[in-house]
């Protein structure tokens, strides 16, 4: 293939020699199954390709597809990156992988059953006892486990590479809570949108069947349930690196996304804490490591689990997939024994080889490892005890000596592997392609008669050309994986799906866990708080620009800045001991309020709070809402000129207004919407009360026109002008912003809305009296309706208001706070009770 | 045969109501040829909604229970009638040299759990260095263990204020002080560091009253010691806190790899605020 304009993309592609390249058999020698794809890409021309790449990245970013780094809540939720060039597998290549992995899954499943049961493999010395007892994945409280179904290993995943001959081999086995299938699905979705023609013509095997089978298998685990079983997806929470996937799969498969504290064990059953009370859970699809699932019997310090879960599992009252204890199969020593185990358990040859491995617990292996340390990768079977992977060739003399000593002391803890030269695949970099190392993660799900594989899987590519390993932690890249259908389609394997249970027609709420309700409530509060603070800051910046242009004098800027400090409670700010200098030169303080994430109550802090609340209810938000949240994240202000910041504030206000619009337009009026709305209304009422107090002070500073600002910040200018023209009149302003129930920004209006919303919340127990929340609202409404605006308002603009105004505002504020407490008592109370460990004694 | 009645009472008091608690109790003494325990009355107050007994991996009797109504006090009391057959005198000289015992043990997969590191007990040169003087080449295993027990008794100070459950065993070794659980763990770490099998035993001991005095009720606490496995002899108990071989004054409740396998009572509560704990053990000869 020469470098011709129509081969602009691949003409120069030269994968490194000596490695297997997925697309090229030799320099300029394309493999047949990549030909169509590459041709299609070259037809696109650089501009077309660039546009599509951008489109793909935009789709991913807007759907919030992220891979985040654990323990770094401030850190970036890294966008997922997709390379448009798919990884292509021929039908024959795929058959080999599928057959090999199905056998392997079957084998691992049998091993799991044996090790948590008769342990015949140990008694017959097919596996050393250390394999079980020295590995942290063997969970004693789960022994013995009588698995009710014959394939307790529900989901199995394997990372694949190629050996020198190009044959696929297994790099590692994943048997606990494998991640990645959701990302593969999302990649496919994006590809089919960005490259619709190519995708259709390439005859790619579909993924939907796999997820249907997955769903079906999980439902079949619910042995006790008579109706539609309740399956939940158990996530460690928004800080987890693959949280996006948890939320994504939960909504795709129709499961409630739960955290450990959303569940409780009563009567040896697991229940979901919802607003409507406790609902029984039949199946838990877990994405939490098994040892963290129950602080009673497993790791006592875990906050991610549910106390009593192991007991519920033991009694067969709930099914967990994969079962607690399956982490044992991830012991890196396992590949050493698989060939003999396969013969013993299945009576077959092992079809797919693993990366060549040595277990130092065998004297011969240990000798070999110690003699060839520089050529090997070393792993500890206790992952927390050592670095994940020790490269023999990177060790200094001292490190090597120390490693040898550790191996000699406890040889059974060490496994050595031959470093594998991963194969390469072409990756788009700008308008050319580059060869990068790759590996493929495949997924299999248990069915009645065997394991069923997701056609293809998740291809991950190294982030740099010179990188020899593939990991997401250092910024990886992924590809959609295409398995081309056979030319002569063989009789399709018809999945023996159990007849679908008919879904009952419903309009009611889904299971809304109390924690989610609370987060929705705070989402509403924080968006409102952020929006009104943005309005205040915008006002301040306008006036500051005016003052600096020397065109207008102070015009009450100082009072406004002090209002900002009071409103956002960012003391000392503009009211502290050094207020005079800050008021004279307010830029730094304003900048800090806008951009400093550490300034509690500041703009950036509030935006983070919005995003945090949104992330923890990810599966409850519509795609559009989620896109909006992503734009919000990208708009987080960084220090710049005043006019940049002003523009930023403008956009932020529009965006947040868009959020209220969206939640009002596209969310059904169920409890989810209601809690956001209650949060928003409550916050707006509280904010208005604060502004009102600051706007009608006992002593008015020179030149300040706080009520003008009040009208501006509360977006009430228009209405006011329609009624009163341009004269500012205290009683008119007070009436409009405090009492007038027809004005959507007034305090009175918030009370009306809150009353409607609160009365419609589900009640667990019917009592013959009104709830605290309702009583607070009735009292507040009555107080406000009975108030006499003319008597309360200042008689003239430069005079103080009646002292009763301040009393009224305080009273209303107190009632709103009592309302918030009442809500939390009656609806979020589950979340208040954190489990704690009883002190041990000896 | 000696007969005992043991009453072990635990009381948690909470500053705020607890809505639910989940607990696991290792309070029902197990049976084995030298010990019978026909009856254990396990009283739990308030009455649990769920109560479920099972045998754990090591053959201990463990009771799971859950109290599902609001309470501010949890009281768990176990009263057991136990018969103990005194240990027959035996000849420690006749036990095999410790090296050959270690080889036999390494080949016995049934003993693996007791030979390898466990959650609270690491092994390694630190422990074998301390134990080395007790293990000269060729010494019969049981004599070596007895010597080790004597040295722990002599070298370490019984000091209830020094350690907690979270104290690493290395600190116990470095500061030469601890309580019975620490000494049991230490003995086990030493034996395992030589490739031998050892287990942790949780139970009670009868404290002999000084002559002429009424023995104090409730003065006794739950106790712990260790057992070493010796080919042909089986499991032999050693009490390093008292430097003696348990004969008929040690009552066994449960055994495991270390304390974490067999705590008398553990639990997770929802709510409760702060809490305090009161424990009493009464071992009476009948």
């Amino acid at each position: 293939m020469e470098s011709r304009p129509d081969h602009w993309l691949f003409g120069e592609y030269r994968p490194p020699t000596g490695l297997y390249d997925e697309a090229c058999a030799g320099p300029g020698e394309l493999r047949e199954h990549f030909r169509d794809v590459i041709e299609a890409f070259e037809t696109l021309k650089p501009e077309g390709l660039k546009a599509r790449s951008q489109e793909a990245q935009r789709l991913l970013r807007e759907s919030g597809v992220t891979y985040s780094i654990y323990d770094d809540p401030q850190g970036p939720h890294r966008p997922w990156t997709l390379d448009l060039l798919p990884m292509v597998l021929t039908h024959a290549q795929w058959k080999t992988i599928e057959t090999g992995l199905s056998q392997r899954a079957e084998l691992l499943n049998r091993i799991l059953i044996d090790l948590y049961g008769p342990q015949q493999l140990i008694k017959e010395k097919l596996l050393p006892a250390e394999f079980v007892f020295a590995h942290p994945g063997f969970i004693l409280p789960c022994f013995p486990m009588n698995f009710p179904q014959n394939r307790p290993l529900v989901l199995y995943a394997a990372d694949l590479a190629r050996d020198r001959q190009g044959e696929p081999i297994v790099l590692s086995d994943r048997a606990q809570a494998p991640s990645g299938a959701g990302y593969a699905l999302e990649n496919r979705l994006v590809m089919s949108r960005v490259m619709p023609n190519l995708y259709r013509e390439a005859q790619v095997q579909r993924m939907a069947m796999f997820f249907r089978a997955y769903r079906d298998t999980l439902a079949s685990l619910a042995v006790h349930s008579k109706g539609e079983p309740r399956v939940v997806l158990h996530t460690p929470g928004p800080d987890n690196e693959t949280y996006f996937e948890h939320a994504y799969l939960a909504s795709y498969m129709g499961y409630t996304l739960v955290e450990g504290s959303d569940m409780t064990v009563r009567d040896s059953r697991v229940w979901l804490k919802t607003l409507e009370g406790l609902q029984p859970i039949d199946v838990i699809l877990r994405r939490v490591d098994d040892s963290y699932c129950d602080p009673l019997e497993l790791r006592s310090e875990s906050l991610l689990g549910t106390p009593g879960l192991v007991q519920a599992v033991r009694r067969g009252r709930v099914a967990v997939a994969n079962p607690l204890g399956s982490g044992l199969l991830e012991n890196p020593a396992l590949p050493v024994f698989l060939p003999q185990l396969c013969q013993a358990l299945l009576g077959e040859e092992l079809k797919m080889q693993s990366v060549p491995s040595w277990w130092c617990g065998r004297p011969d292996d240990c000798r070999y490892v110690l003699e060839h340390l520089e050529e090997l990768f070393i792993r500890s079977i206790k992952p927390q005890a050592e670095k994940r992977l020790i490269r023999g060739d990177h060790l200094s003399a001292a490190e090597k000596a120390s490693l040898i000593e550790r191996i000699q002391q406890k040889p059974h803890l060490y496994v050595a592997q031959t470093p594998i030269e991963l194969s390469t695949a072409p990756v788009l970099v700008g308008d050319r392609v580059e060869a990068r190392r790759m590996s493929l993660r495949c997924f299999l799900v248990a069915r009645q008669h065997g394991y069923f594989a997701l056609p293809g899987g998740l291809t991950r590519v190294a982030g740099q050309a010179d990188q020899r390993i593939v990991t997401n932690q250092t910024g990886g890249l992924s590809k959609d994986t295409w398995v081309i259908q056979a030319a002569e389609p063989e009789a399709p394997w018809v999945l023996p799906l159990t007849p679908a249970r008919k879904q009952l027609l419903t309009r009611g709420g889904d299971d809304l866990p109390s924690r989610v309700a609370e987060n929705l409530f705070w989402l509403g509060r924080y968006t409102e708080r952020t929006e009104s603070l943005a309005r205040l800051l915008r006002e301040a910046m306008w006036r500051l620009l005016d003052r600096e242009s020397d065109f207008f004098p102070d015009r009450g800027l100082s009072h406004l800045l002090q209002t900002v400090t009071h409103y956002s409670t960012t003391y000392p700010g503009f009211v502290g001991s050094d207020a005079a200098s800050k008021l004279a030169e307010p830029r730094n303080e304003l900048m800090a309020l806008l951009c400093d994430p550490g300034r509690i109550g500041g703009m950036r802090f509030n935006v983070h709070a919005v995003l945090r609340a949104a992330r923890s209810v990810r599966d409850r938000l519509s795609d559009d809402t989620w896109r909006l949240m992503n734009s919000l994240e990208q708009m987080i202000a960084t220090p710049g000129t005043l006019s940049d910041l002003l523009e930023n504030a403008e956009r932020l206000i529009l965006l947040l207004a868009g959020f209220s619009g969206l939640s009002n337009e596209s969310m059904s009026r169920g409890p989810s919407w209601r809690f956001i709305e209650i949060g928003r209304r409550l916050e707006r009422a509280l904010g208005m009360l604060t502004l009102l107090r600051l706007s009608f002070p006992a002593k008015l500073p020179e030149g300040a026109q706080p009520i003008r600002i009040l009208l501006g910040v509360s977006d009430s200018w228009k209405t006011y002008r329609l009624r009163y023209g341009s004269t500012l009149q205290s009683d008119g302003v007070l009436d409009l912003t405090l009492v007038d129930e027809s004005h959507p920004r007034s305090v009175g209006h918030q009370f009306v809305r809150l009353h409607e919303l609160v009365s419609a919340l589900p009640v667990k127990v019917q009592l013959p009296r009104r709830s605290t929340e309702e009583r607070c609202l009735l009292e507040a409404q009555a107080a406000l309706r009975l108030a006499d605006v003319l008597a309360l308002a200042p008689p003239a603009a430069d005079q103080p208001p009646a002292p009763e105004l301040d009393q009224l505002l305080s009273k209303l504020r107190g009632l709103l706070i009592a309302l918030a407490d009442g809500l939390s008592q009656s609806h979020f109370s589950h979340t208040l009770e954190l489990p704690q460990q009883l002190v041990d004694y000896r | 045969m000696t007969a005992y009645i043991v009453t072990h009472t635990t009381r948690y008091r909470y500053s705020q109501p607890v809505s639910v608690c989940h607990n696991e109790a290792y309070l029902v003494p197990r049976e084995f040829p030298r010990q019978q325990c026909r009856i254990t009355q396990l009283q739990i107050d308030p009455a649990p909604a769920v109560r479920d007994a099972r045998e754990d991996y090591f053959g201990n009797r463990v009771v799971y229970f859950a109290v599902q109504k609001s309470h501010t006090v949890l009281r768990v009391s176990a009263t057991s009638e136990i018969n103990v057959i005194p240990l027959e005198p035996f000849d420690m000289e006749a036990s095999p040299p410790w090296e050959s015992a270690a080889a036999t043990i390494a080949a016995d997969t049934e003993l693996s759990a007791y030979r390898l590191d466990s959650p609270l007990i690491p092994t390694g040169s630190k422990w074998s260095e301390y134990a080395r003087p007790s293990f000269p080449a060729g010494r019969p295993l049981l004599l070596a263990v007895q010597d080790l027990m004597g040295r722990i008794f002599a070298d370490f100070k019984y000091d209830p204020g020094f350690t907690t459950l979270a104290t690493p065993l290395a600190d116990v070794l470095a500061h030469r002080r601890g309580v019975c659980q620490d000494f049991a763990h230490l003995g086990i770490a030493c034996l395992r560091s030589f490739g031998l099998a050892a287990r942790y035993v949780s139970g009670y001991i009868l404290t002999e009253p000084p002559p002429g005095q009424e023995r104090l009720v409730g003065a006794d606490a739950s106790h712990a010691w260790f057992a070493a496995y010796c080919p042909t002899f089986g499991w032999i108990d050693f009490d390093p806190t008292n430097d003696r071989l348990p004969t008929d004054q040690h009552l066994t409740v449960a055994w495991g790899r270390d304390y974490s396998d067999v705590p008398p009572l553990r639990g997770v509560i929802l709510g409760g605020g702060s809490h305090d704990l009161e424990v009493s053990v009464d071992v009476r000869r009948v």
Side-chain angles (χ1 to χ4, degrees), chain B residues 106-165:
Chain B
D108 188 344
T109 57
E110 301 276 319
L111 295 172
S112 304
Y114 298 113
R115 177 171 59 81
L116 299 165
D117 294 14
S118 60
L120 298 179
I121 307 183
T123 64
S125 51
K126 208 179 271 175
W127 321 104
S128 50
E129 266 162 35
Y130 172 75
R132 181 71 60 193
S134 305
F135 286 81
R139 179 182 268 188
L141 171 63
L142 293 177
L143 285 178
V145 181
Q146 188 178 37
D147 187 70
L148 174 68
M149 169 175 75
R151 287 181 45 236
I152 293 176
F153 179 76
D155 292 350
F156 286 73
K157 184 171 163 23
Y158 186 87
D159 182 352
F162 180 68
T163 56
T164 69
L165 267 176

Side-chain angles (χ1 to χ4, degrees), chain A residues 322-541:
Chain A
N322 284 340
L324 300 173
S326 60
L328 180 59
L329 297 171
E330 295 185 356
N331 188 334
L334 184 63
V336 177
F337 304 97
L338 278 186
Q340 68 198 58
L341 290 171
C342 193
Q343 278 296 349
L345 287 169
L346 304 179
E348 299 171 1
E349 288 271 315
L350 186 65
K351 287 178 186 150
M352 194 179 295
Q353 297 309 306
S354 327
V355 49
S357 308
W358 292 263
W359 176 57
C360 297
R362 297 201 291 204
D364 288 351
D365 283 22
C366 192
R367 207 170 310 122
Y368 177 87
V369 171
L370 293 179
E371 281 165 12
H372 297 83
L373 216 48
E374 302 79 22
E375 302 155 29
L376 298 169
F377 286 173
I378 314 295
R379 280 178 197 281
S380 165
I381 68 167
K382 285 190 172 169
Q384 67 274 38
E386 297 267 3
K387 267 175 33 179
R388 271 172 65 89
L389 183 77
I390 303 166
R391 296 188 54 159
D393 57 344
H394 282 190
L395 294 174
S396 69
E399 287 168 339
K400 189 176 162 188
S402 148
L403 177 64
I404 290 178
E405 199 191 318
R406 293 201 302 277
I407 295 179
Q408 281 169 335
Q409 280 216 349
K410 293 182 185 173
H412 61 272
L413 294 185
Y414 293 89
V415 175
Q417 298 172 339
T418 308
I420 292 294
E421 286 288 358
L422 297 176
S423 63
T424 55
V427 171
L428 288 173
V429 182
D431 55 2
R432 50 187 202 89
V433 280
E434 188 176 282
R436 300 257 184 100
R437 313 286 179 133
M438 61 146 280
S439 75
L440 171 63
R441 179 169 288 188
C442 293
F443 303 88
L444 292 94
V445 65
R447 301 295 296 147
Q448 203 147 23
H449 302 289
Y451 280 85
F452 180 70
L454 173 74
L458 181 65
T459 299
R460 293 180 303 155
V461 194
Q464 304 290 333
D466 53 357
Q467 229 169 329
R468 291 172 64 185
I469 51 170
V470 176
T471 154
N472 286 337
Q473 293 285 342
T474 54
L477 196 62
S478 71
K479 281 170 175 292
D480 191 12
T481 311
W482 290 6
V483 175
I484 305 301
Q485 284 173 11
E488 289 284 313
E490 51 191 294
W493 180 25
V494 180
L495 276 175
L497 288 176
T498 47
R501 284 180 250 216
K502 190 176 179 329
Q503 285 267 16
L504 293 174
L505 202 58
T506 172
R507 284 188 175 168
D510 38 357
D511 297 327
L512 188 64
S514 316
R515 173 191 55 84
V516 175
E518 186 176 19
N519 281 316
L520 290 165
F521 171 73
W522 282 104
L523 179 61
R525 286 195 71 168
Y526 275 118
T527 43
E528 177 64 28
R529 191 178 293 180
T530 311
E531 189 187 332
S532 49
L533 183 59
R535 286 177 190 278
L536 257 180
L537 286 165
R538 178 177 64 174
E539 196 78 25
M541 285 189 281

Side-chain angles (χ1 to χ4, degrees), chain A residues 129 133 267 311 410 833 836 841, chain B residues 19 52 57 68 117 259 273:
Chain A
F133 292 105
D267 303 324
Q311 172 69 11
K410 293 182 185 173
E833 283 192 341
Q836 61 165 319
Y841 68 84
Chain B
S19 58
D52 196 13
Y57 182 83
Q68 299 180 179
D117 294 14
Y259 170 87

Side-chain angles (χ1 to χ4, degrees), chain A residues 711-755:
Chain A
L711 288 177
V713 171
S714 65
D715 204 10
S716 309
W717 250 121
K718 275 268 155 57
T719 321
Y720 182 84
R721 281 242 280 276
L722 281 174
R723 291 190 189 172
Y724 304 98
S726 50
T727 1
L728 272 180
Q729 208 176 300
S730 300
D731 49 0
V733 175
L734 193 59
D735 179 57
L736 181 66
T737 51
L738 180 63
V739 187
D740 183 354
E741 291 180 358
S742 70
H743 178 45
R745 292 274 167 180
S746 75
V747 176
H749 182 81
Q750 312 317 315
F751 286 164
V752 175
R753 303 305 300 275
L754 279 169
H755 199 174

